[in-house]
Amino acid sequence: MANLEMRFQVTLTLAVMNFKFLTILILILSLGCKNSNDIKNQNTKINEASIISVLIDELTISFPPPPPPIENSNEPLKPLNLDSLNTVKVRVILDTVFENYSKITKIKSELKDFQYLVDEIPNLKREVMPYKNIKSKKGHTLIFGNSLDKSKTKTPQIIGTSPIAFNKEQTKAAVYAGRTTGKLSAIWDLYLLEKINGKWTIVFRKNIQKA
């Protein structure tokens, strides 16, 4: 009888130890998965901000400053140096909420590796973009809002994007983005980007809407 009780106690002790071990193992695995997801989400936010920064500089119109008053009306106007527009810094509004776009766009066959990303965009959630990390490398001033009224300039412009679809490795991306400069002036394009030498680069653009 004593032997039976001892065996029962040993079995019970082993069972408790195994249960504790499994519990600890599950907790460790859960924390590992959580940390992995946190890192992935953080990388996604960083890549989203980098791509939107590229699109801002791509879409922003550098309106030339007004010409100085002409003192002598007989003197011809000097031709505008178009290259100088690249150095003009402007204020541009960025819509900080990703815009939904439900249509499917077909792209040319040589870019077929991006097609599934384009198809995925309508299924992505409409969320607030990571605007704190977004900046213009050309030095444009960003105003965060969702209306042209946010700008106090005579030539306001607002830029918005759809959610961004990434491949698993986050080296390729597809996104719709556009610019509005008035009620009757707007464009909406599809952009395909690839991370080349650590930098997001536009490899394809297709106009979807123009007004």
Side-chain angles (χ1 to χ4, degrees):
M1 188 70 178
N3 289 335
L4 288 175
E5 290 181 357
M6 184 177 294
R7 289 179 181 177
F8 176 77
Q9 289 292 340
V10 170
T11 303
L12 181 61
T13 301
L14 290 174
V16 171
M17 291 176 64
N18 287 335
F19 176 76
K20 289 181 177 179
F21 173 77
L22 288 174
T23 302
I24 293 171
L25 181 61
I26 291 172
L27 287 173
I28 292 172
L29 292 174
S30 299
L31 289 173
C33 291
K34 183 178 183 301
N35 290 336
S36 178
N37 288 333
D38 288 344
I39 293 172
K40 182 179 179 181
N41 290 335
Q42 184 178 2
N43 288 338
T44 298
K45 296 298 182 185
I46 292 172
N47 284 319
E48 285 177 342
S50 297
I51 287 175
I52 295 168
S53 297
V54 170
L55 294 174
I56 287 171
D57 288 338
E58 175 73 13
L59 285 163
T60 298
I61 301 175
S62 296
F63 293 102
I70 302 174
E71 297 179 0
N72 184 358
S73 59
N74 295 324
E75 184 179 344
L77 290 174
K78 293 181 180 180
L80 179 64
N81 183 358
L82 297 179
D83 291 336
S84 66
L85 294 183
N86 293 325
T87 63
V88 176
K89 309 298 186 291
V90 299
R91 295 168 64 86
V92 58
I93 303 167
L94 177 65
D95 191 337
T96 56
V97 178
F98 290 122
E99 299 180 23
N100 287 335
Y101 190 77
S102 58
K103 295 182 180 179
I104 297 296
T105 303
K106 296 299 178 183
I107 55 179
K108 51 188 181 181
S109 57
E110 52 262 42
L111 294 167
K112 61 182 180 180
D113 291 345
F114 287 90
Q115 186 64 62
Y116 79 99
L117 296 177
V118 177
D119 297 342
E120 186 182 351
I121 294 176
N123 301 322
L124 300 177
K125 293 181 180 179
R126 186 173 184 263
E127 298 178 341
V128 176
M129 65 176 60
Y131 60 91
K132 292 183 179 179
N133 296 321
I134 298 171
K135 58 183 66 177
S136 167
K137 290 186 177 180
K138 290 185 178 180
H140 299 307
T141 300
L142 302 183
I143 304 169
F144 301 112
N146 56 10
S147 170
L148 287 171
D149 296 335
K150 290 285 184 179
S151 175
K152 297 179 181 179
T153 64
K154 294 182 179 179
T155 53
Q157 51 187 312
I158 184 170
I159 290 173
T161 80
S162 71
I164 304 172
F166 292 97
N167 64 344
K168 184 178 179 181
E169 297 79 13
Q170 295 200 2
T171 56
K172 294 182 179 180
V175 59
Y176 292 98
R179 176 191 66 244
T180 300
T181 53
K183 293 181 179 179
L184 299 176
S185 178
I187 61 168
W188 189 247
D189 297 336
L190 169 67
Y191 288 90
L192 305 181
L193 300 98
E194 191 167 358
K195 189 176 266 190
I196 301 173
N197 297 326
K199 295 182 179 181
W200 285 102
T201 303
I202 298 171
V203 296
F204 177 78
R205 180 182 70 85
K206 180 178 182 179
N207 179 249
I208 305 300
Q209 295 176 355
K210 191 173 184 178

